Amino acid sequence: VSACVERFGAIDVLVNSEAEPAHAPLATLSDDDWQAQWDLNVMAPMRLMRAAAPVMARAGRGRIVNVASAAGKRPAPQNAAYSVTKAAQLSVSRAFADTYAAQGVLVNAVAPAEDLGDRDAERPPIGRFGTPEEAAAVVLFLCSDIASVVAGAAWSADGGAVKAIV
């Protein structure tokens, strides 16, 4: 963040988009598995937000988008550590949104559904999983001036896979 501000004078947008699903049954996950997912999906984006949000707030503007997962809205036992930590990422996004929105920093999340290659898995109602480009379009929208009143949202980009209004 400081290198970005030093080079460009400001930081306008932060998109946290890193994940490595731990596809393992709940009963087989070790403490190390849980910790690795926690560090990657919660601590890493939280540290970047903690560094960027105050800088953005001083400038009176900024956008932060965390790419979470539909699994964070609907945990699955076959990827429990990933699901639980993506749910925590959604919660951290909301906490930052509540803290910084009044200072012009809008924090949101996008929750796409992943195609895990499971032929028996139920397809989303649209009949397919979205592409990375389609999820990126939602991120782009949230980073744009068009989304100037959107804060604290967890946008589903999952083709209707999560059967809830969240």
Side-chain angles (χ1 to χ4, degrees):
V1 169
S2 9
C4 179
V5 171
E6 185 177 315
R7 181 168 180 186
F8 300 107
I11 182 165
D12 299 314
V13 173
L14 169 63
V15 177
N16 286 309
S17 179
E18 176 62 39
E20 186 175 317
H23 301 293
L26 179 62
T28 66
L29 291 168
S30 69
D31 286 357
D32 288 341
D33 295 331
W34 281 97
Q35 190 64 55
Q37 288 293 299
W38 183 259
D39 290 343
L40 180 64
N41 296 324
V42 181
M43 295 306 295
M46 188 273 305
R47 287 180 180 122
L48 285 167
M49 289 189 295
R50 195 170 56 196
V55 173
M56 292 174 169
R58 283 192 293 278
R61 70 186 191 305
R63 300 288 195 272
I64 298 174
V65 179
N66 291 307
V67 180
S69 171
K73 292 184 173 190
R74 177 64 178 94
Q78 68 271 19
N79 64 354
Y82 176 75
S83 297
V84 168
T85 58
K86 285 299 187 174
Q89 187 183 51
L90 293 171
S91 187
V92 167
S93 299
R94 182 61 204 224
F96 271 81
D98 290 348
T99 301
Y100 288 99
Q103 298 167 67
V105 181
L106 305 181
V107 182
N108 292 286
V110 174
E114 299 88 12
D115 183 353
L116 304 177
D118 182 354
R119 293 189 181 274
D120 296 327
E122 182 180 337
R123 294 282 174 229
I126 66 168
R128 66 178 179 82
F129 291 95
T131 65
E133 293 80 10
E134 289 169 319
V138 178
V139 173
L140 181 61
F141 163 73
L142 292 171
C143 293
S144 74
D145 289 337
I146 297 169
S148 62
V149 297
V150 181
W155 283 65
S156 293
D158 63 3
V162 175
K163 308 288 192 248
I165 300 173
V166 182

